[in-house]
Amino acid sequence: MVHNFDVLIIGSGLAGQSAALRLAGHCRVALISKRKLEDSASGWAQGGIAAVLDNQDSIEAHIRDTFVAGAWLNDEKATRFVVENGRHAIDWLIEQGVPFTKDQSGYHLTREGGHSARRVIHVADATGAAVQQTLTEKVRNNPNITVFEDHIAVDLITGSKIGNGENRCYGAYVLDNQSGEVLTMGARNTLIATGGAGKVYLFTTNPDTSTGDGIAMAWRAGCRVANMEFIQFHPTCLYHPNAKSFLISEAVRGEGGLLKLPDGSRFMPEHDERCELAPRDIVARAIDFEMKKRGLDCVYLDISHKGETFIREHFPNIHARCLELGIDITRQPIPVVPAAHYTCGGIVCDLNGRTDVEGLYVAGEASCTGLHGANRLASNSLLECLVFSEAAVNDMLAQTPRQLPVLPQWDESRVTDADEEVVISHNWDELRRFMWDYVGIVRTTKRLQRAEHRVRLLKQEIHEFYSHFRVSHDLIELRNLVLTAELIIRCAMHRKESRGLHYSRDFPELARRVHNTVLTPARWENS
């Protein structure tokens, strides 16, 4: 079946939903969601959104903090573009009805690791959920937005696929998970807003939908990707056998939480003068070091000294979830471990969100805009979603509409139903385990070489499956995860230094030359 729209948006997080709402007054929009609209990494964001909203703060200070956290690999134009548009982005969310937390002087601003001022606006400790809920209601009620829930994009439709020779995107093939039918979704412009790739690792704070789909699809379509070696590990994921991927917000440390060993002693002062407020990469490596040195399963984050009233007011959701698991954070510390949290690299784009393929845009975690450098500053991610999704929308609306060519339907004439689903599950587990062991917080050349060898073997198996069997949700995700893992490994092998989130025992020092790692589908090179 063929569906044609003006704009196709793949991904239903903050970048995708905000773009859809901005476009809906001008054109017909299709919004693809792998599960329900609410199931995205944006909805899991606890801390808040960083923006200069206080007279005591400044644009220059926010830019400087972003560069310091990013180990000076950030793009200056992109960073300034995002930070300068911060207040405008927050004003738009307020107009949509997002109920940001207030205090006596107006909106309450918290401080997180790496920030030199209080500039994180939030909705208690569940900002992402509040933003997502507000926008989702508007998306569902907008007649110009057609929502396709429980659908997953298979591949982009490009000029090379249909044989017209144009370096252009015309939409995507999309699998309906309920019927098993692959739909042809034609569009004059396509926005990738699929989020990151945290599920490539064994332990992650990301939802199950974060499988690198957009990055893999764009790569196959001919787009460059960059800086994939910079995977941010959040320092404090709840360590509990019955808690899956539950994040303990950066704001807990921002409001005075202390990291401790099992004997109650602190260790961050020995690792960095900023202690618990050091950037995430430093805190995550410190925790990893202490755990390995002492043979610990976890460390502890203690905010109990702030008192029950303060904790219930500032962290109601964290308090409630921990209490469900038998941990009263008003009286005892929280067991925590680092976990894969954010993909700082991604699809290369310009300040309008344009990729290397005409008609194809990207916004949010799937992109590499240059904002994050070698390490994302806390709470800059949702801001980037808002600023770049609006930039992409403005660029789309400024163009003269083009006529879509006739698009071929998906061909399944030479494939059969898969009969070895257990192999797909086994491959997924194998991938996540060796990525965690060999391409984690601390890396070596030998570990990366082992990971590269294993990922090549997995690619061969998956190519066999993809060539002979009908596509399924699990097969699509596995195919994308393995390709994304390969991109991470290749970028990591090429960086002969330790910078930001990439720490190599073989190259512990910073290189003299600051450079991005850019890969192209045909060949990969430095720039």
Side-chain angles (χ1 to χ4, degrees):
M1 186 178 294
V2 179
H3 300 267
N4 287 332
F5 294 89
D6 296 308
V7 179
L8 171 65
I9 298 174
I10 306 173
S12 60
L14 178 56
Q17 289 201 26
S18 60
L21 289 171
R22 291 182 185 278
L23 285 163
H26 307 275
C27 58
R28 296 177 306 113
V29 181
L31 183 63
I32 307 298
S33 180
K34 284 172 72 172
R35 294 191 176 177
K36 297 297 182 185
L37 282 182
E38 296 83 359
D39 295 328
S40 75
S42 296
W44 289 32
Q46 294 177 349
I49 307 173
V52 178
L53 304 171
D54 191 304
N55 292 333
Q56 303 300 312
D57 196 7
S58 71
I59 296 291
E60 298 306 320
H62 190 175
I63 291 173
R64 183 177 63 251
D65 291 345
T66 301
F67 265 81
V68 170
W72 306 97
L73 193 64
N74 320 67
D75 180 85
E76 185 173 356
K77 287 183 179 178
T79 304
R80 184 169 293 278
F81 176 64
V82 172
V83 173
E84 288 181 345
N85 280 282
R87 181 179 286 273
H88 169 70
I90 299 301
D91 287 344
W92 184 80
L93 287 179
I94 292 171
E95 288 172 12
Q96 305 311 304
V98 176
F100 289 113
T101 298
K102 294 184 177 181
D103 59 17
Q104 299 85 349
S105 57
Y107 289 106
H108 181 265
L109 302 177
T110 191
R111 182 182 174 191
E112 296 185 350
H115 289 275
S116 59
R118 286 183 172 268
R119 65 168 69 98
V120 180
I121 190 169
H122 60 102
V123 184
D125 60 347
T127 305
V131 171
Q132 192 85 347
Q133 182 179 355
T134 301
L135 298 190
T136 295
E137 185 178 351
K138 289 181 173 292
V139 165
R140 290 195 187 280
N141 292 326
N142 195 301
N144 280 348
I145 302 173
T146 304
V147 176
F148 293 86
E149 292 179 301
D150 207 16
H151 285 64
I152 181 172
V154 181
D155 257 326
L156 299 168
I157 303 172
T158 59
S160 61
K161 273 195 185 301
I162 65 174
N164 71 3
E166 284 194 322
N167 182 35
R168 189 168 190 88
C169 181
Y170 302 106
Y173 292 114
V174 178
L175 173 67
D176 180 338
N177 288 322
Q178 297 299 319
S179 69
E181 181 184 6
V182 177
L183 311 176
T184 303
M185 296 273 192
R188 295 187 180 94
N189 290 296
T190 301
L191 174 67
I192 291 177
T194 51
K199 293 299 286 188
V200 79
Y201 286 98
L202 184 61
F203 300 111
T204 177
T205 64
N206 291 179
D208 291 340
T209 53
S210 297
T211 51
D213 302 326
I215 296 169
M217 284 191 297
W219 174 265
R220 291 193 292 265
C223 294
R224 290 170 298 156
V225 302
N227 295 348
M228 291 295 293
E229 68 269 39
F230 298 121
I231 302 295
Q232 187 174 73
F233 289 80
H234 196 288
T236 53
C237 183
L238 179 63
Y239 179 74
H240 192 281
N242 298 327
K244 180 182 178 182
S245 307
F246 187 71
L247 176 67
I248 304 300
S249 170
E250 189 98 10
V252 173
R253 284 181 286 123
E255 294 294 344
L258 302 174
L259 285 164
K260 297 180 178 180
L261 297 170
D263 64 4
S265 62
R266 292 176 66 193
F267 58 87
M268 278 310 301
E270 299 173 14
H271 292 271
D272 193 279
E273 62 184 9
R274 291 162 291 188
C275 302
E276 281 78 8
L277 292 178
R280 289 176 175 176
D281 60 324
I282 293 172
V283 179
R285 274 200 303 276
I287 294 173
D288 183 70
F289 174 85
E290 296 293 342
M291 287 173 60
K292 288 176 177 173
K293 175 184 176 182
R294 303 169 191 277
L296 304 174
D297 292 326
C298 65
V299 295
Y300 295 87
L301 179 58
D302 192 359
I303 188 109
S304 61
H305 55 278
K306 298 290 285 188
E308 184 172 351
T309 302
F310 179 91
I311 292 169
R312 285 179 174 272
E313 179 182 345
H314 285 76
F315 307 110
N317 292 288
I318 294 174
H319 174 262
R321 179 60 177 141
C322 287
L323 208 55
E324 289 175 5
L325 297 167
I327 304 167
D328 184 353
I329 68 173
T330 68
R331 292 177 173 81
Q332 56 192 126
I334 310 166
V336 293
V337 292
H341 182 60
Y342 194 86
T343 309
C344 289
I347 306 161
V348 175
C349 69
D350 65 12
L351 294 185
N352 291 311
R354 290 184 178 185
T355 70
D356 295 327
V357 176
E358 289 294 318
L360 181 64
Y361 296 79
V362 63
E365 193 175 350
S367 69
C368 184
T369 65
L371 170 66
H372 304 307
N375 175 37
R376 177 178 68 92
L377 179 65
S379 291
N380 269 355
S381 53
L382 296 184
L383 180 62
E384 183 188 41
C385 286
L386 291 163
V387 172
F388 271 90
S389 63
E390 182 179 14
V393 166
N394 291 341
D395 195 70
M396 292 178 197
L397 296 177
Q399 295 176 18
T400 303
R402 290 172 55 102
Q403 189 69 30
L404 274 176
V406 176
L407 301 177
Q409 296 197 40
W410 184 259
D411 182 12
E412 286 191 331
S413 60
R414 291 171 300 217
V415 295
T416 61
D417 291 325
D419 58 358
E420 290 289 348
E421 292 293 335
V422 67
V423 177
I424 294 176
S425 175
H426 174 78
N427 286 351
W428 183 310
D429 289 342
E430 182 185 349
L431 173 72
R432 297 179 69 202
R433 287 183 183 280
F434 76 66
M435 285 296 290
W436 182 260
D437 290 338
Y438 299 148
V439 200
I441 296 173
V442 177
R443 301 161 180 174
T444 67
T445 301
K446 183 169 284 188
R447 290 177 187 174
L448 294 174
Q449 289 170 342
R450 286 173 176 164
E452 183 183 39
H453 175 69
R454 293 196 181 190
V455 85
R456 283 177 177 169
L457 295 176
L458 282 181
K459 273 186 72 176
Q460 292 173 7
E461 285 191 24
I462 291 159
H463 178 70
E464 233 178 88
F465 269 93
Y466 194 77
S467 300
H468 295 92
F469 299 124
R470 286 192 176 90
V471 294
S472 66
H473 185 106
D474 290 345
L475 179 56
I476 294 168
E477 286 190 326
L478 180 60
R479 180 185 183 222
N480 292 334
L481 274 173
V482 169
L483 176 52
T484 305
E486 184 181 36
L487 295 173
I488 294 169
I489 295 164
R490 288 170 67 185
C491 285
M493 290 181 72
H494 194 72
R495 185 165 292 279
K496 308 300 185 185
E497 64 167 348
S498 288
R499 183 180 296 275
L501 299 165
H502 175 75
Y503 184 81
S504 170
R505 284 184 178 168
D506 297 317
F507 304 97
E509 304 299 326
L510 285 173
R512 291 183 180 179
R513 185 168 70 93
V514 178
H515 66 280
N516 293 305
T517 309
V518 182
L519 309 184
T520 69
R523 59 184 174 81
W524 60 298
E525 61 188 7
N526 278 339
S527 68

